[in-house]
Amino acid sequence: MNDKRSAQDPFVAMVTATARVDLRLSDFQPRSMLVTPVHDVPRPRFPAIDYHNHLDALEPADVLRVMDECGIERVVNITMRTGEAALATIAKFHKVAADRFATYGWMDWSDLREPGFIRRTVDRLEKLVERGACGLKLWKDLGTSVRDDDGKLLRIDDERLAPLFDKAGELGVPIMFHIADPDAFFQPIDNHNERYEELAAHPEWSFYASHFSKAELLAQRDRVFARHPKTVFVGAHVAEHPEDLAYVSQLLDANPNLYLDIGARCAELGRQPYTARQFFLRYADRILFGTDLIPEVEMYRLHFRFLETTDEYFEYPSHASRQGRWNIYGLFLPDEVLRRVYRENARKLLSR
Ligand SMILES: [Zn+2]
């Protein structure tokens, strides 16, 4: 084909032509020309519990209006406050509608370097639970910035934290881990990065060249799941690895005490709909509906469309800066899966 005649052939010329154009990436807003069915899903098939949200800045009555409009039975507020402020937040929501809200506590590292930290942490957990908290969340500051009194990064599987996880098991409340981030956040912010625009908007979200690699952070966390079989753990954001559902499947198989939420990861799941659908069918008892986005009617409805319909190539729910230039495909999950994912799995964890 590389002789002179074929190079002059109009067909060859057409299929080998490429363009180098200058168009600002932020100005490039293509619209899909596909004509495919659109199913609006105003309310979920079963009353849903949003197991991953952050409501600290919101008024309960405003959230309730959205919840009522789109069939959300309950929202779990993961408070980012600690101490008295956390207890006040629990009270603020529970006072308005104790059966519509639940609250996760937030790990307090403020006095880590003072003697007796673990004992105090265990006491704090007990107090949070006594006041109505339904779990405790540990965030990605653990493993990336929390340092002990030697100035060393605290490991997620540090043995000194073991009494906290044991206490959660004893009290019957789960520990939620969000200790890493999307794989792209651990890659250079360059032209190969699938979340380039998101990271350009939030360069501080990048963990590129952080001390522990993502694989190491996950390995530390996974050792904690195995070390505390009597404690229930929730792996936020599809256990932080929706990019590799085979990995998450192995993790679920190895640790019956592990659940996960799908918060803010519809795009990873919805870009691999065949694999994701199989994953939901197989682990229907372990997956929790959660959004991690400001409660808004359209946001919830996009989730219902994703989980329930056969719609193709549509917008994923996201924050304003978007995650990446992609669209998603519906999973058309069967009723028995939807019932568990929307509601029953969360109820099991909330009633412990
Ligand atoms: Zn969150």
Side-chain angles (χ1 to χ4, degrees):
M1 284 297 284
N2 56 2
D3 63 58
K4 222 171 165 187
R5 250 178 78 189
S6 64
Q8 287 161 355
D9 178 89
F11 179 74
V12 172
M14 177 182 78
V15 297
T16 56
T18 57
R20 294 189 69 84
V21 292
D22 287 316
L23 170 64
R24 275 157 42 107
L25 185 54
S26 41
D27 291 337
F28 183 54
Q29 303 291 339
R31 294 187 187 138
S32 169
M33 294 291 108
L34 293 181
V35 181
T36 51
V38 174
H39 296 93
D40 290 319
V41 188
R43 301 171 73 84
R45 190 101 170 132
F46 301 96
I49 299 176
D50 180 352
Y51 198 80
H52 187 146
N53 215 311
H54 303 278
L55 307 178
D56 286 353
L58 302 174
E59 284 309 314
D62 296 336
V63 184
L64 278 171
R65 263 193 298 278
V66 174
M67 292 164 68
D68 289 343
E69 199 175 330
C70 38
I72 302 296
E73 175 180 289
R74 199 164 187 175
V75 177
V76 175
N77 174 32
I78 300 165
T79 182
M80 296 175 84
R81 295 173 177 155
T82 57
E84 285 303 316
L87 299 176
T89 302
I90 296 176
K92 171 175 136 181
F93 282 91
H94 294 208
K95 201 168 64 193
V96 174
D99 56 337
R100 306 295 301 280
F101 296 106
T103 309
Y104 254 70
W106 188 260
M107 182 69 179
D108 183 354
W109 297 107
S110 59
D111 53 352
L112 170 65
R113 295 173 188 215
E114 289 159 35
F117 171 75
I118 278 300
R119 187 182 39 76
R120 280 193 305 282
T121 298
V122 168
D123 290 348
R124 280 177 200 142
L125 175 64
E126 270 186 309
K127 187 158 190 195
L128 279 164
V129 172
E130 197 183 287
R131 297 288 200 88
C134 63
L136 181 75
K137 179 165 174 180
L138 276 78
W139 198 50
K140 57 196 173 187
D141 48 355
L142 175 60
T144 60
S145 65
V146 174
R147 289 175 189 278
D148 68 12
D149 38 15
D150 303 331
K152 284 215 304 238
L153 275 179
L154 196 61
R155 293 175 60 88
I156 298 157
D157 59 356
D158 191 309
E159 292 279 352
R160 289 172 292 179
L161 297 173
L164 172 65
F165 304 136
D166 285 337
K167 177 54 88 175
E170 200 181 294
L171 294 170
V173 291
I175 295 284
M176 183 186 281
F177 271 125
H178 171 185
I179 50 75
D181 260 331
D183 289 5
F185 288 15
F186 291 80
Q187 300 290 321
I189 307 176
D190 64 14
N191 58 324
H192 296 300
N193 195 306
E194 69 171 2
R195 289 180 180 243
Y196 178 81
E197 285 170 291
E198 181 182 33
L199 287 165
H202 307 278
E204 73 283 5
W205 288 0
S206 175
F207 286 114
Y208 181 57
S210 63
H211 180 77
F212 294 124
S213 66
K214 175 163 174 178
E216 170 59 20
L217 289 169
L218 295 184
Q220 291 181 18
R221 178 202 63 178
D222 297 352
R223 279 195 283 277
V224 176
F225 297 154
R227 202 179 64 193
H228 301 273
K230 291 186 185 142
T231 303
V232 170
F233 293 95
V234 176
H237 312 300
V238 195
E240 320 272 9
H241 217 191
E243 297 93 340
D244 184 353
L245 292 178
Y247 175 94
V248 182
S249 299
Q250 280 177 6
L251 200 59
L252 287 165
D253 290 341
N255 301 283
N257 54 333
L258 175 64
Y259 289 70
L260 53 84
D261 75 56
I262 60 168
R265 296 296 180 272
C266 288
E268 274 66 39
L269 298 166
R271 284 186 288 152
Q272 47 177 330
Y274 312 132
T275 306
R277 187 167 195 278
Q278 288 306 317
F279 180 79
F280 270 84
L281 297 186
R282 183 153 164 217
Y283 299 105
D285 289 328
R286 317 279 288 279
I287 302 172
L288 302 155
F289 174 71
T291 64
D292 200 21
L293 290 167
I294 292 171
E296 281 167 354
V297 171
E298 275 322 302
M299 178 282 280
Y300 279 121
R301 288 180 176 163
L302 272 178
H303 279 87
F304 308 152
R305 191 177 172 202
F306 167 55
L307 294 170
E308 297 185 28
T309 77
T310 52
D311 287 0
E312 298 173 291
Y313 200 72
F314 56 95
E315 181 191 344
Y316 61 94
S318 174
H319 47 74
S321 66
R322 311 297 292 165
Q323 298 175 328
R325 287 189 171 247
W326 42 57
N327 279 319
I328 60 170
Y329 301 81
L331 299 183
F332 57 104
L333 297 173
D335 282 3
E336 66 270 24
V337 173
L338 290 172
R339 195 185 308 115
R340 292 176 201 164
V341 169
Y342 274 141
R343 186 161 189 256
E344 282 176 11
N345 298 337
R347 280 172 64 96
K348 210 161 35 179
L349 297 191
L350 290 168
S351 69
R352 285 169 68 89

